[in-house]
Amino acid sequence: TSDDEGYYVIGNVPAGTHQIFPDPAAAAPPYYFYPHAREVTKVAGVALTGVDFEYRTGGQYTVTVPVRDQTGAPAPGIAVVLEDMWASMVAPKYATSGANGNAVFTDVWSRWYNVSASAIAPVGYYWRALNFYVTDSNVTTDPLQLVAE
């Protein structure tokens, strides 16, 4: 927890490499933290300072998710869901991939998301889910693709 000036202390951190994440519940839309995480290396006996995060006001952007079948070809008609990674701040959004295989989500707040297909995959395949971060611009993700098990 940070104090009134935004300073925080994490005690008893062992030596090694760690990921530090601000609590996303402290930044309801339109706000978000940037970056969403920081990797730090703690050296035994040395104080770790200056690991800062910005509290930003975000906008609403468009997210395009290319949906591809197991051959890499566009997969039209696939139901796709976009969910806040922290599952508490933003309601899920739903879209269906069009003739070009793209599912498009509008009015997406700046934050960390998971996108997955809600369609049933053929036997021997699964839909690989994606995680990505929306900051200050529209996003086209990596393809959401059928992958062999």
Side-chain angles (χ1 to χ4, degrees):
T1 303
S2 60
D3 64 18
D4 291 342
E5 295 182 24
Y7 294 102
Y8 62 94
V9 175
I10 302 172
N12 302 316
V13 177
T17 301
H18 305 278
Q19 292 281 332
I20 298 176
F21 297 85
D23 180 1
Y31 304 103
Y32 69 101
F33 289 106
Y34 184 83
H36 70 278
R38 288 200 182 271
E39 183 172 280
V40 298
T41 300
K42 172 70 168 87
V43 176
V46 177
L48 181 62
T49 62
V51 182
D52 297 323
F53 297 89
E54 293 178 39
Y55 189 64
R56 293 184 174 181
T57 301
Q60 290 184 297
Y61 301 100
T62 298
V63 173
T64 302
V65 180
V67 183
R68 303 295 180 253
D69 68 15
Q70 62 271 33
T71 69
I78 302 298
V80 179
V81 61
L82 175 79
E83 297 177 284
D84 177 354
M85 282 288 292
W86 309 106
S88 62
M89 305 304 291
V90 177
K93 289 181 172 278
Y94 303 90
T96 300
S97 56
N100 62 359
N102 291 342
V104 178
F105 299 89
T106 58
D107 301 324
V108 177
W109 288 106
S110 300
R111 55 195 321 102
W112 190 240
Y113 290 96
N114 173 275
V115 66
S116 59
S118 59
I120 296 173
V123 173
Y125 292 88
Y126 68 95
W127 288 102
R128 182 184 61 218
L130 303 172
N131 298 320
F132 60 94
Y133 199 68
V134 176
T135 54
D136 295 322
S137 63
N138 295 329
V139 172
T140 298
T141 69
D142 290 336
L144 180 63
Q145 187 164 0
L146 273 173
V147 178
E149 291 181 339

